[in-house]
Amino acid sequence: MDKIILLILDGLGDWPIGQFGGKTPLEAANTPNLDELAKRGICGVMDTVDIGIKPGSDAAHLSILGYNPYTEYTGRGPFEAAGIGMEVLPGDVCLRVNMATVDEELAVKDRRVGRIDSTEEYARLLDGTEIDGVKFMLKPGTAYRMGMVMRGKGLSSKISDSDPKLVDQRVKKIKPLDDSIGAKQTAKVLNQFLELAYAKLKDLPSNLQRINEGKLPANYLLTRGAGIYPDMVPFQEKWKMKAVCVAGAGLYKGIARVLGMDVIDAPGATGTATSDLNAKMRKVIEVLEDYDFVFVHIKGADSLGEDGNCTGKKEFIEKIDEAVRPLLDLQDTVIAITADHSTPCESLTHSADDVPLVIWAPRGRTDEVSQFGETACFRGRLGRIQGRHLMPILVDKAGRAQKFGA
Ligand code: ZN
């Protein structure tokens, strides 16, 4: 039986770009190693959740890893919290937090404080706050992100977000999303906490100093993705493989932890566009000794797409290409490279477009695709599949599939 490496390049898919002569960033990038994998393997395109569905990263990952996002997804918060190593108990409501900048009218000026690189100070300031018997726990995540866990009796995750998702819009009041007492109480207490947090952050000496230096102050918590810790069949039980995750960004470590995978940090792999991808790949090859399945996540292309930085995305893809070079020498290993969704840099957000997929297995068929790109892969043997098909294909390619029937 072979081992499997699944490399997810977050937000990789894109649209044709004028400045690249109608090619996508992936097609315009110089990618000899990804192209070599396409040549050796079989290609296709994939709708990670379903055709026409614009997936969130979390739902897309669940689907790709063989879980049904329609029935098993409970919100992003629990993954973020688990990803940064927060202790979570049944009944806790977990939320995603962006540290943001608002003006005096509470209109959002920057949803990420100009991509501030640490929220340590603000998490420490607010961690442990109690309101009405509800305890708020906060921990810094990657860059401008934090995890928040609300612990108390009868809480509900059926609450709205404070994040308006757009700049120059006022932050939103948290509203209950159903008529339950729990949802009403959770919304009320969270609104109180967000007001209290704003009052504390606004006058924080380090924020006043940031303003003096012409920087944006980190003065508001944009919350979203409230969810209760989900109960899922562990990956190892489902696919009969010992699995590990190598990722920089918290969300993906969290998904892996919730699915019972081990999570291993690669030094210098930060989940940002400056992440040390070579170090990450060295770690992948190192851990392959001890595991059957390695899930590797690289975030940068998605962030650059969201920033509208087409050239940056293309250059980052070239860095990925260099980093995957050692994978070409592996023996007895199935390698799959794909994305969780497209993040076209002209749309600044996710799109429902299918994503390119290449699978290289030591044995089996090939096809005529010789370039890893959105258009080229569409002509490959795998055709157009859905995310839920990927794990069965990989398990089969690795010689691990059980026969259906006698
Ligand atoms: Zn994503």
Side-chain angles (χ1 to χ4, degrees), residues 6 8 57-69 71-75 78-80 82-83 229-245 250-263 291 293 295 391:
L6 171 59
I8 309 270
S57 293
D58 47 9
H61 275 79
L62 285 185
S63 185
I64 292 169
L65 293 169
Y67 294 80
N68 182 346
T71 56
E72 300 184 89
Y73 177 63
T74 64
F79 300 124
E80 292 277 352
Y229 206 71
D231 185 19
M232 296 175 122
V233 179
F235 185 89
Q236 181 163 352
E237 199 177 316
K238 197 177 184 86
W239 298 111
K240 315 286 181 258
M241 290 186 284
K242 189 179 172 208
V244 65
C245 162
L251 172 66
Y252 311 94
K253 295 182 192 175
I255 291 171
R257 286 207 179 103
V258 170
L259 299 179
M261 292 185 193
D262 288 343
V263 175
Y291 293 90
F293 183 90
F295 155 46
M391 280 304 302

Short mmCIF file of all heavy atoms in Angstrom, two decimals, residues 6 8 57-69 71-75 78-80 82-83 229-245 250-263 291 293 295 391:
data_model
loop_
_atom_site.label_atom_id
_atom_site.label_comp_id
_atom_site.label_asym_id
_atom_site.label_seq_id
_atom_site.Cartn_x
_atom_site.Cartn_y
_atom_site.Cartn_z
N LEU A 6 -1.68 14.88 0.39
CA LEU A 6 -2.68 15.77 -0.21
C LEU A 6 -2.28 17.21 0.08
O LEU A 6 -2.25 17.63 1.25
CB LEU A 6 -4.07 15.48 0.38
CG LEU A 6 -5.18 16.47 0.01
CD1 LEU A 6 -5.40 16.54 -1.49
CD2 LEU A 6 -6.49 16.10 0.71
N ILE A 8 -3.12 21.03 -0.35
CA ILE A 8 -4.18 21.99 -0.70
C ILE A 8 -3.58 23.39 -0.78
O ILE A 8 -3.07 23.91 0.21
CB ILE A 8 -5.30 21.99 0.37
CG1 ILE A 8 -5.79 20.58 0.67
CG2 ILE A 8 -6.44 22.94 -0.06
CD1 ILE A 8 -6.90 20.09 -0.15
N SER A 57 -13.60 28.10 3.11
CA SER A 57 -12.45 27.20 3.20
C SER A 57 -12.76 25.99 4.08
O SER A 57 -12.33 24.88 3.79
CB SER A 57 -11.25 27.94 3.78
OG SER A 57 -10.82 28.91 2.87
N ASP A 58 -13.47 26.21 5.18
CA ASP A 58 -13.73 25.13 6.13
C ASP A 58 -14.64 24.06 5.52
O ASP A 58 -14.33 22.87 5.54
CB ASP A 58 -14.30 25.68 7.45
CG ASP A 58 -15.42 26.68 7.23
OD1 ASP A 58 -15.88 26.84 6.08
OD2 ASP A 58 -15.85 27.30 8.23
N ALA A 59 -15.75 24.51 4.92
CA ALA A 59 -16.70 23.56 4.30
C ALA A 59 -16.00 22.80 3.17
O ALA A 59 -16.19 21.59 3.01
CB ALA A 59 -17.92 24.30 3.79
N ALA A 60 -15.18 23.52 2.39
CA ALA A 60 -14.48 22.88 1.27
C ALA A 60 -13.51 21.82 1.78
O ALA A 60 -13.44 20.72 1.22
CB ALA A 60 -13.72 23.93 0.47
N HIS A 61 -12.78 22.12 2.83
CA HIS A 61 -11.83 21.14 3.38
C HIS A 61 -12.55 19.90 3.90
O HIS A 61 -12.09 18.78 3.69
CB HIS A 61 -10.96 21.77 4.46
CG HIS A 61 -9.76 22.47 3.91
ND1 HIS A 61 -9.83 23.72 3.36
CD2 HIS A 61 -8.47 22.07 3.79
CE1 HIS A 61 -8.62 24.07 2.93
NE2 HIS A 61 -7.78 23.10 3.18
N LEU A 62 -13.66 20.12 4.61
CA LEU A 62 -14.41 18.96 5.12
C LEU A 62 -14.81 18.06 3.96
O LEU A 62 -14.67 16.84 4.01
CB LEU A 62 -15.67 19.42 5.87
CG LEU A 62 -15.46 20.01 7.25
CD1 LEU A 62 -16.82 20.30 7.89
CD2 LEU A 62 -14.66 19.06 8.14
N SER A 63 -15.30 18.68 2.89
CA SER A 63 -15.76 17.92 1.73
C SER A 63 -14.60 17.16 1.09
O SER A 63 -14.71 15.97 0.80
CB SER A 63 -16.40 18.90 0.74
OG SER A 63 -16.96 18.21 -0.33
N ILE A 64 -13.47 17.84 0.91
CA ILE A 64 -12.31 17.21 0.28
C ILE A 64 -11.81 16.04 1.13
O ILE A 64 -11.34 15.04 0.61
CB ILE A 64 -11.17 18.26 0.08
CG1 ILE A 64 -11.59 19.30 -0.97
CG2 ILE A 64 -9.86 17.59 -0.32
CD1 ILE A 64 -10.65 20.50 -1.03
N LEU A 65 -11.91 16.18 2.44
CA LEU A 65 -11.42 15.13 3.34
C LEU A 65 -12.46 14.02 3.54
O LEU A 65 -12.26 13.11 4.34
CB LEU A 65 -10.97 15.72 4.67
CG LEU A 65 -9.73 16.63 4.55
CD1 LEU A 65 -9.49 17.41 5.84
CD2 LEU A 65 -8.48 15.82 4.20
N GLY A 66 -13.59 14.13 2.82
CA GLY A 66 -14.55 13.04 2.81
C GLY A 66 -15.72 13.19 3.76
O GLY A 66 -16.43 12.22 4.03
N TYR A 67 -15.96 14.38 4.27
CA TYR A 67 -17.09 14.62 5.17
C TYR A 67 -18.16 15.42 4.43
O TYR A 67 -17.84 16.13 3.47
CB TYR A 67 -16.62 15.37 6.42
CG TYR A 67 -15.68 14.53 7.25
CD1 TYR A 67 -14.33 14.39 6.90
CD2 TYR A 67 -16.15 13.82 8.36
CE1 TYR A 67 -13.47 13.58 7.63
CE2 TYR A 67 -15.29 13.02 9.10
CZ TYR A 67 -13.96 12.89 8.73
OH TYR A 67 -13.12 12.09 9.46
N ASN A 68 -19.40 15.29 4.88
CA ASN A 68 -20.49 15.99 4.21
C ASN A 68 -20.70 17.35 4.87
O ASN A 68 -21.24 17.42 5.97
CB ASN A 68 -21.77 15.15 4.29
CG ASN A 68 -22.92 15.81 3.56
OD1 ASN A 68 -22.86 16.99 3.21
ND2 ASN A 68 -23.98 15.05 3.32
N PRO A 69 -20.31 18.43 4.19
CA PRO A 69 -20.41 19.74 4.85
C PRO A 69 -21.86 20.14 5.11
O PRO A 69 -22.12 20.93 6.02
CB PRO A 69 -19.75 20.69 3.86
CG PRO A 69 -19.78 20.00 2.55
CD PRO A 69 -19.75 18.53 2.84
N THR A 71 -24.25 18.28 6.30
CA THR A 71 -24.78 17.73 7.56
C THR A 71 -23.79 17.82 8.72
O THR A 71 -24.19 17.73 9.88
CB THR A 71 -25.15 16.24 7.38
OG1 THR A 71 -23.97 15.54 6.91
CG2 THR A 71 -26.25 16.06 6.36
N GLU A 72 -22.50 17.99 8.41
CA GLU A 72 -21.52 17.90 9.50
C GLU A 72 -20.85 19.22 9.86
O GLU A 72 -20.06 19.29 10.78
CB GLU A 72 -20.45 16.85 9.14
CG GLU A 72 -21.07 15.47 8.94
CD GLU A 72 -20.04 14.39 8.69
OE1 GLU A 72 -19.57 13.81 9.67
OE2 GLU A 72 -19.74 14.13 7.51
N TYR A 73 -21.17 20.27 9.13
CA TYR A 73 -20.53 21.56 9.38
C TYR A 73 -21.35 22.37 10.38
O TYR A 73 -22.55 22.56 10.18
CB TYR A 73 -20.43 22.32 8.05
CG TYR A 73 -19.84 23.69 8.18
CD1 TYR A 73 -18.55 23.87 8.63
CD2 TYR A 73 -20.59 24.82 7.86
CE1 TYR A 73 -18.01 25.14 8.75
CE2 TYR A 73 -20.07 26.09 7.96
CZ TYR A 73 -18.78 26.25 8.41
OH TYR A 73 -18.25 27.50 8.53
N THR A 74 -20.72 22.83 11.45
CA THR A 74 -21.47 23.57 12.49
C THR A 74 -20.97 25.00 12.65
O THR A 74 -21.28 25.67 13.62
CB THR A 74 -21.35 22.89 13.86
OG1 THR A 74 -19.96 22.93 14.26
CG2 THR A 74 -21.82 21.45 13.85
N GLY A 75 -20.17 25.48 11.72
CA GLY A 75 -19.62 26.84 11.86
C GLY A 75 -18.11 26.78 11.96
O GLY A 75 -17.53 25.75 12.30
N PRO A 78 -15.39 26.66 15.93
CA PRO A 78 -14.74 25.54 16.63
C PRO A 78 -13.39 25.14 16.00
O PRO A 78 -12.46 24.78 16.71
CB PRO A 78 -15.75 24.39 16.48
CG PRO A 78 -17.06 25.07 16.28
CD PRO A 78 -16.77 26.32 15.52
N PHE A 79 -13.29 25.23 14.66
CA PHE A 79 -12.03 24.87 13.99
C PHE A 79 -10.94 25.88 14.33
O PHE A 79 -9.78 25.52 14.55
CB PHE A 79 -12.21 24.80 12.48
CG PHE A 79 -13.24 23.80 12.04
CD1 PHE A 79 -14.31 24.19 11.24
CD2 PHE A 79 -13.15 22.47 12.42
CE1 PHE A 79 -15.26 23.26 10.83
CE2 PHE A 79 -14.09 21.54 12.01
CZ PHE A 79 -15.15 21.94 11.21
N GLU A 80 -11.33 27.15 14.32
CA GLU A 80 -10.35 28.20 14.64
C GLU A 80 -9.86 28.02 16.07
O GLU A 80 -8.66 28.13 16.36
CB GLU A 80 -10.99 29.60 14.51
CG GLU A 80 -11.35 29.97 13.09
CD GLU A 80 -10.17 30.54 12.30
OE1 GLU A 80 -9.10 30.77 12.89
OE2 GLU A 80 -10.33 30.71 11.08
N ALA A 82 -9.91 25.27 17.99
CA ALA A 82 -9.09 24.06 18.12
C ALA A 82 -7.73 24.27 17.46
O ALA A 82 -6.71 23.76 17.93
CB ALA A 82 -9.80 22.87 17.48
N GLY A 83 -7.73 25.04 16.38
CA GLY A 83 -6.50 25.25 15.62
C GLY A 83 -5.44 25.99 16.38
O GLY A 83 -4.25 25.79 16.15
N TYR A 229 -18.89 22.98 19.25
CA TYR A 229 -17.91 21.95 18.92
C TYR A 229 -18.56 20.72 18.27
O TYR A 229 -19.42 20.08 18.87
CB TYR A 229 -17.19 21.55 20.21
CG TYR A 229 -15.81 21.02 19.99
CD1 TYR A 229 -14.79 21.86 19.58
CD2 TYR A 229 -15.53 19.67 20.18
CE1 TYR A 229 -13.51 21.37 19.38
CE2 TYR A 229 -14.26 19.17 19.97
CZ TYR A 229 -13.26 20.03 19.58
OH TYR A 229 -12.00 19.55 19.36
N PRO A 230 -18.20 20.36 17.03
CA PRO A 230 -18.90 19.27 16.33
C PRO A 230 -18.37 17.89 16.72
O PRO A 230 -17.25 17.75 17.16
CB PRO A 230 -18.58 19.53 14.86
CG PRO A 230 -17.26 20.23 14.88
CD PRO A 230 -17.17 20.98 16.17
N ASP A 231 -19.24 16.91 16.54
CA ASP A 231 -18.91 15.53 16.89
C ASP A 231 -18.76 14.76 15.58
O ASP A 231 -19.74 14.48 14.91
CB ASP A 231 -20.07 14.97 17.72
CG ASP A 231 -19.77 13.58 18.23
OD1 ASP A 231 -18.59 13.21 18.26
OD2 ASP A 231 -20.74 12.86 18.56
N MET A 232 -17.53 14.48 15.16
CA MET A 232 -17.32 13.85 13.85
C MET A 232 -16.55 12.54 13.96
O MET A 232 -15.74 12.38 14.86
CB MET A 232 -16.54 14.81 12.96
CG MET A 232 -17.32 16.08 12.68
SD MET A 232 -16.34 17.23 11.76
CE MET A 232 -17.37 17.42 10.37
N VAL A 233 -16.82 11.63 12.99
CA VAL A 233 -16.07 10.35 12.96
C VAL A 233 -14.61 10.68 12.68
O VAL A 233 -14.31 11.38 11.71
CB VAL A 233 -16.59 9.43 11.83
CG1 VAL A 233 -15.80 8.14 11.80
CG2 VAL A 233 -18.07 9.16 12.00
N PRO A 234 -13.69 10.20 13.51
CA PRO A 234 -12.27 10.51 13.26
C PRO A 234 -11.81 10.04 11.88
O PRO A 234 -12.26 8.99 11.39
CB PRO A 234 -11.54 9.75 14.37
CG PRO A 234 -12.56 9.53 15.43
CD PRO A 234 -13.88 9.40 14.72
N PHE A 235 -10.93 10.80 11.28
CA PHE A 235 -10.41 10.52 9.94
C PHE A 235 -9.82 9.11 9.87
O PHE A 235 -10.05 8.37 8.91
CB PHE A 235 -9.34 11.58 9.60
CG PHE A 235 -8.81 11.49 8.21
CD1 PHE A 235 -9.42 12.18 7.17
CD2 PHE A 235 -7.68 10.72 7.92
CE1 PHE A 235 -8.92 12.11 5.87
CE2 PHE A 235 -7.18 10.65 6.64
CZ PHE A 235 -7.79 11.34 5.60
N GLN A 236 -9.07 8.75 10.91
CA GLN A 236 -8.40 7.45 10.89
C GLN A 236 -9.40 6.30 10.85
O GLN A 236 -9.18 5.29 10.17
CB GLN A 236 -7.49 7.33 12.13
CG GLN A 236 -6.73 6.01 12.16
CD GLN A 236 -5.55 6.01 13.11
OE1 GLN A 236 -5.18 7.04 13.68
NE2 GLN A 236 -4.94 4.86 13.30
N GLU A 237 -10.52 6.49 11.56
CA GLU A 237 -11.56 5.46 11.58
C GLU A 237 -12.26 5.40 10.22
O GLU A 237 -12.58 4.33 9.70
CB GLU A 237 -12.56 5.85 12.68
CG GLU A 237 -13.44 4.74 13.16
CD GLU A 237 -14.33 5.26 14.29
OE1 GLU A 237 -13.83 5.99 15.20
OE2 GLU A 237 -15.54 4.96 14.24
N LYS A 238 -12.48 6.55 9.64
CA LYS A 238 -13.21 6.63 8.38
C LYS A 238 -12.39 6.08 7.21
O LYS A 238 -12.91 5.36 6.37
CB LYS A 238 -13.53 8.10 8.11
CG LYS A 238 -14.60 8.34 7.08
CD LYS A 238 -14.85 9.87 6.99
CE LYS A 238 -15.97 10.18 6.04
NZ LYS A 238 -17.30 10.13 6.63
N TRP A 239 -11.10 6.41 7.15
CA TRP A 239 -10.29 6.06 5.98
C TRP A 239 -9.20 5.04 6.26
O TRP A 239 -8.41 4.69 5.37
CB TRP A 239 -9.66 7.34 5.37
CG TRP A 239 -10.71 8.29 4.88
CD1 TRP A 239 -11.02 9.51 5.40
CD2 TRP A 239 -11.61 8.10 3.78
NE1 TRP A 239 -12.04 10.10 4.71
CE2 TRP A 239 -12.42 9.26 3.70
CE3 TRP A 239 -11.81 7.07 2.85
CZ2 TRP A 239 -13.43 9.40 2.74
CZ3 TRP A 239 -12.80 7.22 1.89
CH2 TRP A 239 -13.60 8.37 1.84
N LYS A 240 -9.13 4.57 7.51
CA LYS A 240 -8.17 3.52 7.89
C LYS A 240 -6.73 3.93 7.57
O LYS A 240 -5.93 3.14 7.07
CB LYS A 240 -8.48 2.18 7.18
CG LYS A 240 -9.94 1.78 7.18
CD LYS A 240 -10.42 1.30 8.53
CE LYS A 240 -11.87 0.87 8.54
NZ LYS A 240 -12.78 1.85 9.11
N MET A 241 -6.44 5.20 7.82
CA MET A 241 -5.07 5.68 7.62
C MET A 241 -4.68 6.56 8.81
O MET A 241 -5.48 7.36 9.29
CB MET A 241 -4.97 6.52 6.33
CG MET A 241 -5.11 5.72 5.06
SD MET A 241 -4.82 6.74 3.60
CE MET A 241 -6.35 7.66 3.51
N LYS A 242 -3.43 6.41 9.23
CA LYS A 242 -2.91 7.28 10.28
C LYS A 242 -2.53 8.60 9.62
O LYS A 242 -1.72 8.62 8.69
CB LYS A 242 -1.70 6.60 10.92
CG LYS A 242 -1.21 7.30 12.16
CD LYS A 242 -0.01 6.56 12.77
CE LYS A 242 0.56 7.39 13.89
NZ LYS A 242 1.98 7.15 14.10
N ALA A 243 -3.15 9.68 10.09
CA ALA A 243 -3.04 10.95 9.36
C ALA A 243 -2.40 12.06 10.18
O ALA A 243 -2.54 12.11 11.40
CB ALA A 243 -4.42 11.39 8.91
N VAL A 244 -1.73 12.94 9.46
CA VAL A 244 -1.10 14.09 10.11
C VAL A 244 -1.33 15.31 9.23
O VAL A 244 -1.49 15.20 8.01
CB VAL A 244 0.41 13.85 10.32
CG1 VAL A 244 1.17 13.73 8.99
CG2 VAL A 244 1.04 14.93 11.18
N CYS A 245 -1.36 16.47 9.87
CA CYS A 245 -1.55 17.73 9.15
C CYS A 245 -0.31 18.60 9.33
O CYS A 245 0.20 18.72 10.45
CB CYS A 245 -2.77 18.44 9.72
SG CYS A 245 -2.87 20.19 9.33
N GLY A 250 -4.21 28.64 11.52
CA GLY A 250 -4.94 27.98 12.59
C GLY A 250 -6.15 27.18 12.14
O GLY A 250 -6.37 26.07 12.63
N LEU A 251 -6.91 27.71 11.19
CA LEU A 251 -8.15 27.04 10.77
C LEU A 251 -7.89 25.59 10.34
O LEU A 251 -8.64 24.68 10.67
CB LEU A 251 -8.80 27.81 9.61
CG LEU A 251 -9.98 27.12 8.95
CD1 LEU A 251 -11.17 27.00 9.91
CD2 LEU A 251 -10.41 27.87 7.70
N TYR A 252 -6.80 25.40 9.59
CA TYR A 252 -6.54 24.08 8.99
C TYR A 252 -6.00 23.11 10.03
O TYR A 252 -6.34 21.92 10.01
CB TYR A 252 -5.62 24.27 7.77
CG TYR A 252 -6.21 25.38 6.93
CD1 TYR A 252 -5.79 26.70 7.07
CD2 TYR A 252 -7.31 25.12 6.12
CE1 TYR A 252 -6.42 27.74 6.38
CE2 TYR A 252 -7.95 26.14 5.44
CZ TYR A 252 -7.49 27.45 5.57
OH TYR A 252 -8.14 28.46 4.92
N LYS A 253 -5.22 23.64 10.97
CA LYS A 253 -4.80 22.79 12.10
C LYS A 253 -6.04 22.41 12.90
O LYS A 253 -6.15 21.28 13.39
CB LYS A 253 -3.86 23.57 13.01
CG LYS A 253 -2.54 23.94 12.39
CD LYS A 253 -1.71 24.66 13.45
CE LYS A 253 -0.51 25.33 12.83
NZ LYS A 253 0.24 26.12 13.80
N GLY A 254 -6.97 23.34 13.03
CA GLY A 254 -8.19 23.09 13.80
C GLY A 254 -9.05 22.03 13.16
O GLY A 254 -9.56 21.14 13.84
N ILE A 255 -9.21 22.11 11.83
CA ILE A 255 -10.00 21.10 11.12
C ILE A 255 -9.35 19.74 11.36
O ILE A 255 -10.01 18.76 11.69
CB ILE A 255 -10.07 21.42 9.61
CG1 ILE A 255 -10.93 22.68 9.40
CG2 ILE A 255 -10.62 20.24 8.81
CD1 ILE A 255 -10.91 23.22 7.97
N ALA A 256 -8.02 19.69 11.23
CA ALA A 256 -7.30 18.43 11.43
C ALA A 256 -7.49 17.91 12.86
O ALA A 256 -7.75 16.72 13.06
CB ALA A 256 -5.81 18.64 11.13
N ARG A 257 -7.41 18.79 13.85
CA ARG A 257 -7.56 18.35 15.25
C ARG A 257 -8.96 17.83 15.50
O ARG A 257 -9.15 16.81 16.17
CB ARG A 257 -7.27 19.51 16.20
CG ARG A 257 -5.81 19.82 16.30
CD ARG A 257 -5.43 20.46 17.64
NE ARG A 257 -3.99 20.69 17.62
CZ ARG A 257 -3.44 21.89 17.42
NH1 ARG A 257 -4.20 22.97 17.32
NH2 ARG A 257 -2.14 22.02 17.37
N VAL A 258 -9.97 18.55 14.96
CA VAL A 258 -11.35 18.11 15.17
C VAL A 258 -11.56 16.73 14.53
O VAL A 258 -12.33 15.91 15.04
CB VAL A 258 -12.35 19.16 14.61
CG1 VAL A 258 -13.77 18.63 14.59
CG2 VAL A 258 -12.29 20.44 15.44
N LEU A 259 -10.85 16.44 13.43
CA LEU A 259 -10.96 15.14 12.77
C LEU A 259 -10.01 14.10 13.39
O LEU A 259 -9.91 12.99 12.88
CB LEU A 259 -10.67 15.27 11.27
CG LEU A 259 -11.62 16.20 10.50
CD1 LEU A 259 -11.23 16.26 9.03
CD2 LEU A 259 -13.08 15.75 10.63
N GLY A 260 -9.32 14.49 14.44
CA GLY A 260 -8.47 13.54 15.16
C GLY A 260 -7.11 13.30 14.53
O GLY A 260 -6.42 12.34 14.89
N MET A 261 -6.71 14.14 13.56
CA MET A 261 -5.36 13.99 12.99
C MET A 261 -4.34 14.58 13.95
O MET A 261 -4.65 15.48 14.72
CB MET A 261 -5.24 14.80 11.69
CG MET A 261 -6.05 14.30 10.54
SD MET A 261 -5.65 15.32 9.07
CE MET A 261 -6.96 14.81 7.98
N ASP A 262 -3.11 14.10 13.85
CA ASP A 262 -2.02 14.78 14.54
C ASP A 262 -1.71 16.05 13.77
O ASP A 262 -1.93 16.14 12.56
CB ASP A 262 -0.78 13.88 14.58
CG ASP A 262 -0.97 12.72 15.57
OD1 ASP A 262 -1.88 12.80 16.41
OD2 ASP A 262 -0.20 11.73 15.48
N VAL A 263 -1.19 17.02 14.47
CA VAL A 263 -0.81 18.29 13.82
C VAL A 263 0.65 18.56 14.15
O VAL A 263 1.04 18.53 15.32
CB VAL A 263 -1.69 19.45 14.33
CG1 VAL A 263 -1.21 20.78 13.75
CG2 VAL A 263 -3.15 19.20 13.96
N TYR A 291 3.52 8.24 9.04
CA TYR A 291 2.08 8.36 8.76
C TYR A 291 1.73 7.79 7.39
O TYR A 291 2.58 7.70 6.50
CB TYR A 291 1.66 9.84 8.82
CG TYR A 291 1.76 10.41 10.22
CD1 TYR A 291 2.93 11.02 10.66
CD2 TYR A 291 0.68 10.33 11.10
CE1 TYR A 291 3.03 11.52 11.94
CE2 TYR A 291 0.77 10.84 12.38
CZ TYR A 291 1.94 11.44 12.80
OH TYR A 291 2.04 11.93 14.07
N PHE A 293 -1.03 9.17 5.73
CA PHE A 293 -1.68 10.26 5.01
C PHE A 293 -1.18 11.60 5.56
O PHE A 293 -1.26 11.84 6.76
CB PHE A 293 -3.20 10.15 5.21
CG PHE A 293 -4.01 11.17 4.46
CD1 PHE A 293 -4.46 10.93 3.16
CD2 PHE A 293 -4.34 12.40 5.04
CE1 PHE A 293 -5.21 11.87 2.46
CE2 PHE A 293 -5.09 13.34 4.36
CZ PHE A 293 -5.53 13.08 3.07
N PHE A 295 -1.77 15.60 5.19
CA PHE A 295 -2.56 16.72 4.65
C PHE A 295 -1.72 17.99 4.84
O PHE A 295 -1.38 18.36 5.96
CB PHE A 295 -3.91 16.79 5.40
CG PHE A 295 -4.57 18.14 5.43
CD1 PHE A 295 -4.66 18.93 4.29
CD2 PHE A 295 -5.14 18.63 6.61
CE1 PHE A 295 -5.28 20.17 4.32
CE2 PHE A 295 -5.76 19.86 6.66
CZ PHE A 295 -5.82 20.63 5.52
N MET A 391 -11.25 11.64 -1.90
CA MET A 391 -10.65 10.65 -0.99
C MET A 391 -10.80 9.22 -1.51
O MET A 391 -9.81 8.47 -1.50
CB MET A 391 -11.25 10.79 0.42
CG MET A 391 -10.68 11.92 1.27
SD MET A 391 -8.88 11.90 1.49
CE MET A 391 -8.65 10.31 2.24
#
